[in-house]
Amino acid sequence: MKYLLALLSTLALTPLPAQSSVPDCEALATRIGQEAGLPQHLLPAIAHIESGNTLNGSRKAWPWAINHAGKSLYFETQDTALDYLRTATTQGRTNIDVGCMQINHYWHGQEFQSLEQMIDPIQNLHYAARFLQALYDKHGSWAKAVKKYHSSDEARGERYFDGFTTAVENVSVEAPTANASLTLATAQNQFFGLAGSAQTQVDMGFGLDPNVISEAKANKTTYSEYARLIASLGDEVDNTPLIMPPSSTSLAKSGEVSGVLRVNWPKVETLRKYLAAN
């Protein structure tokens, strides 16, 4: 959501099993968008932008996509993507966009019962459909809803909408079939993973340890190589001192905010009252 995804230039090349099948985000988005009453192609076009990955010469939304602090990672399976998410979130790293619609964990993670639910393509898409409807209800147009889905910054929203119009053309031409799965027969594609790597180096500042596969099987929560990757991304927290100038603007109602803000809104109100009194 915060970023137009760009595939990392060098990732581990991981062989795919012949004829492996994964959920087709765009086909699912078409169906779920229709069920939710969204405009035609709205949901699949956003999925196409958010989690698009080039496979077999064409770009398709990918269900096991993660964008962490601006770095795009595409995992071969749901399990490997979840392993990375568990490793990152147990370290307090939450600036992560997840799944078909790249739902941001920091802002929207509270709306899901688990990481498994958040990355599940159907749950991920249903939440995005509800969020887009809420943005439409608030801002009065689907164009504004699409822009706000990406960013509250006007300039960034405009740039995103330009890409969205192109994506609408692409998904309308390549209308997905009712079979909401992708069959991938290509021997190799660009995925980030620990097992079955055809290379021994990943261009993210570390090499794959020969013992990684056995370690991964024994440890379902934290993967040391994933932890090293996460550390290489740098700090997420901006330690710049917060300066809040006086303002006559009234504070939003709790029902007007969502995600992590809504959960912590009482603390925000308490802080504002304290600042006003001091």
Side-chain angles (χ1 to χ4, degrees), residues 152-165:
S152 59
D153 179 82
E154 290 294 332
R156 292 177 63 189
E158 288 290 344
R159 290 194 296 271
Y160 186 82
F161 191 73
D162 289 342
F164 167 77
T165 57

Side-chain angles (χ1 to χ4, degrees), residues 131-266:
F131 183 51
L132 281 162
Q133 183 66 58
L135 290 171
Y136 171 80
D137 294 341
K138 180 177 181 179
H139 298 286
S141 80
W142 289 112
K144 289 183 179 178
V146 169
K147 295 173 187 177
K148 297 296 183 182
Y149 185 91
H150 175 65
S151 174
S152 59
D153 179 82
E154 290 294 332
R156 292 177 63 189
E158 288 290 344
R159 290 194 296 271
Y160 186 82
F161 191 73
D162 289 342
F164 167 77
T165 57
T166 301
V168 168
E169 296 174 0
N170 290 335
V171 299
S172 61
V173 170
E174 303 173 6
T177 64
N179 181 19
S181 65
L182 293 172
T183 300
L184 306 173
T186 303
Q188 289 187 336
N189 284 289
Q190 286 189 314
F191 291 99
F192 182 83
L194 295 178
S197 175
Q199 296 182 344
T200 58
Q201 296 291 323
V202 180
D203 190 21
M204 287 297 295
F206 62 85
L208 291 178
D209 189 300
N211 297 320
V212 164
I213 296 176
S214 60
E215 175 189 341
K217 291 179 179 178
N219 187 343
K220 295 299 184 183
T221 303
T222 302
Y223 284 44
S224 64
E225 296 295 339
Y226 284 175
R228 292 172 65 188
L229 167 62
I230 292 165
S232 76
L233 298 178
D235 294 334
E236 280 185 11
V237 179
D238 183 358
N239 293 316
T240 305
L242 174 64
I243 300 175
M244 185 178 292
S247 173
S248 59
T249 304
S250 59
L251 193 62
K253 307 293 185 185
S254 60
E256 297 174 348
V257 296
S258 62
V260 68
L261 275 180
R262 186 172 67 193
V263 172
N264 292 287
W265 201 246

